[in-house]
Every structure is written in C-alpha cells, then in structure tokens.
Amino acid sequence: MSEAKPASMSRVTMTDIIFPSDTNYHGTMFGGVVMRYIDKIATIASMRHSRRGVVTASSDSLDFLAPVKVGEAIMLEAFVSWTHRSSMEVYVKVESENLFTGERKTTATSFLTFVALDEQGKPTPVPAVVPENDEERRLFASAEERYLARKKRKEERDKNLQ
C-alpha cells in the first residue's frame, strides 16, 4: 500500500446547467439524474485517490435538501473523506445557483463507499487519507461511526437473506 494522501488530491468539482430534459413536471431536476451525477463524481474522486479501477459498494445516504430548477447551474464537489483497507468513503455536496441572481444553495449531500480493484478485479488496498481543513477533519472524525453502521446493515441484510 502506498503512502497516505491528502484529501485535496481526490477533490473533484463539476458544474452543469439544467435543461428541461433533466427535469420533472414540477420544473425541478429528477432525483435520479442528481444520483447519476453523484455516482459519477464520486467515482472520479475514488479513482484519483486510489489510482485504481473502482466499484460502488454502497450509497449510505442521499439527502435532498432543496430542488434544482430548470435553468439553474448544478455544482458538485466530492472528495475521499476516509479509507479502510480497500474501501473509500466519498463525501459529495451538491449546490445549485440561480445564474441571474447569483443565489446559491446546498441542494443535496451524500456519502458513498467505493472499493478499489486490482487487475484481476479483486479488492486491493488503498492509501490512507489525510484530512487538511475543518470540513475534512469533521467528516474524517465521524467516518468510523458511519463505517460501523454500514457494517451492521450488511450483517443484518446477510442474515435476512439466509
């Protein structure tokens, strides 16, 4: 396993404008389209951190906080907030901007887990992550609790599938 990496090395930003084809009959962005953006940017962040192919292992949470309206810009930011042996927790924040007024709002937040794969498609170790700013340190400090909750959900799911 390689040396620990700062969270900033995995940081990714993405901006797009929302067109009518991205929206529902309310004129707001489809949740599934937001989810696609989130998975895409989180994939890039986890690949930047691990420099490996990755797969999405879980989406722990996706909280929709406000709608994104047609004609607004959507801005996403993602970074690896914590790592385990071969897994990486990625935090994604979604904002919208009214391009006429400049008003910005946080519209969604999400935590996803990705697993790095070796050339044979098997899980492979990833570098540790080093938080650098207050947000990264706060998310890093609370990550083990989220990890244990994911592990417990997996155990419960596996027990229920037997």
Side-chain angles (χ1 to χ4, degrees):
M1 181 166 37
S2 58
E3 210 171 294
K5 293 182 177 180
S8 61
M9 288 186 72
S10 68
R11 193 172 295 272
V12 182
T13 59
M14 182 188 314
T15 303
D16 205 353
I17 190 166
I18 303 310
F19 292 116
S21 61
D22 300 316
T23 64
N24 57 32
Y25 57 89
H26 299 292
T28 60
M29 194 169 181
F30 281 115
V33 175
V34 176
M35 293 167 71
R36 184 179 71 224
Y37 276 107
I38 288 171
D39 192 46
K40 188 182 291 189
I41 195 169
T43 297
I44 295 168
S46 61
M47 289 181 78
R48 273 190 178 168
H49 183 80
S50 66
R51 295 298 175 196
R52 295 285 192 165
V54 300
V55 292
T56 310
S58 74
S59 177
D60 295 355
S61 66
L62 171 52
D63 297 311
F64 291 103
L65 308 172
V68 182
K69 298 175 184 158
V70 68
E72 291 185 330
I74 184 171
M75 293 93 56
L76 296 94
E77 182 177 28
F79 60 89
V80 173
S81 53
W82 190 75
T83 61
H84 200 251
R85 193 188 79 76
S86 62
S87 64
M88 296 161 280
E89 179 188 80
V90 180
Y91 174 70
V92 181
K93 181 168 68 172
V94 183
E95 295 182 320
S96 64
E97 179 184 358
N98 179 311
L99 296 169
F100 295 107
T101 67
E103 178 190 2
R104 289 182 174 209
K105 60 187 174 217
T106 301
T107 60
T109 59
S110 185
F111 287 99
L112 299 94
T113 303
F114 286 79
V115 174
L117 303 176
D118 65 15
E119 293 75 18
Q120 288 74 45
K122 302 290 184 205
T124 190
V126 297
V129 65
V130 179
E132 301 169 289
N133 62 38
D134 289 342
E135 177 185 45
E136 292 165 0
R137 283 188 281 275
R138 188 179 77 258
L139 294 172
F140 184 87
S142 58
E144 190 164 2
E145 186 177 328
R146 287 186 299 277
Y147 168 77
L148 293 173
R150 279 191 296 275
K151 191 173 174 181
K152 184 176 181 183
R153 276 196 321 268
K154 182 184 183 311
E155 289 168 359
E156 288 295 316
R157 182 187 64 238
D158 291 349
K159 188 168 52 174
N160 290 333
L161 291 175
Q162 292 180 8

